[in-house]
């Protein structure tokens, strides 16, 4: 059984390790940049960040994502009022294809729809077809903006969606 919950400070290291494991698997077993752990931990500890955890049997972290207020440009400047930024979405490779990423993202979108956010944004590697298809199926649309990701790796495409309030 998979459950989704808000993460705590005790989950930060495990979340970063899970993201690195998933990133390495997407790269065909290649080791991600050795600077990744410190960059990820910095982002996870950012003020206002909300960590989300997917757990199997309430003991094993199998998915993770972080949400924080979007900023311009590239999440370093002024806050974009009403827009959330979703980042570091990852599922443990052994659990790929089981719908965990979809459940995690839907949980986040549901929570955002009950908050003051009107929109959500994220960046995704354009070569990560699995993620692109998931986000499109959840109602995200490409904006046409691209950039080189924070780690100097693959080109990313900007994708965002309007969060609809629940009544």
């Amino acid at each position: 059984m998979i459950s989704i919950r808000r993460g705590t400070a005790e989950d930060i290291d495990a979340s970063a390790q899970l993201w690195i494991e998933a990133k390495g698997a997407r790269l065909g077993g290649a080791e991600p940049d050795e600077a990744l752990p410190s960059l990820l931990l910095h982002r996870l500890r950012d003020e206002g960040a909300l960590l989300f955890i997917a757990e199997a049997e309430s003991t094993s972290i199998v998915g993770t994502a972080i949400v924080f207020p979007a900023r311009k440009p590239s999440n370093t400047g002024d806050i974009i009022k009403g827009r959330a930024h979703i980042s570091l979405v990852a599922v443990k490779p052994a659990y790929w294809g089981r719908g965990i990423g979809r459940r995690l993202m839907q949980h986040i979108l549901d929570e955002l729809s009950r908050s003051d956010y009107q929109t959500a944004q994220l960046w995704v590697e354009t070569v990560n077809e699995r993620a692109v298809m998931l986000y499109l199926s959840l109602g995200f649309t490409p904006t046409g903006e691209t950039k080189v990701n924070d780690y100097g790796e693959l080109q990313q495409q900007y994708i965002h969606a309007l969060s609809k309030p629940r009544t």
Side-chain angles (χ1 to χ4, degrees), residues 76-93:
T76 60
D78 294 334
I79 288 177
I80 302 170
K81 186 174 167 68
R83 182 176 293 175
H85 182 80
I86 302 170
S87 185
L88 305 176
V89 179
V91 172
K92 193 172 192 68

Side-chain angles (χ1 to χ4, degrees), residues 62-73:
V62 296
T64 186
I66 186 172
V67 177
F68 49 88
R71 296 176 178 272
K72 55 183 176 181

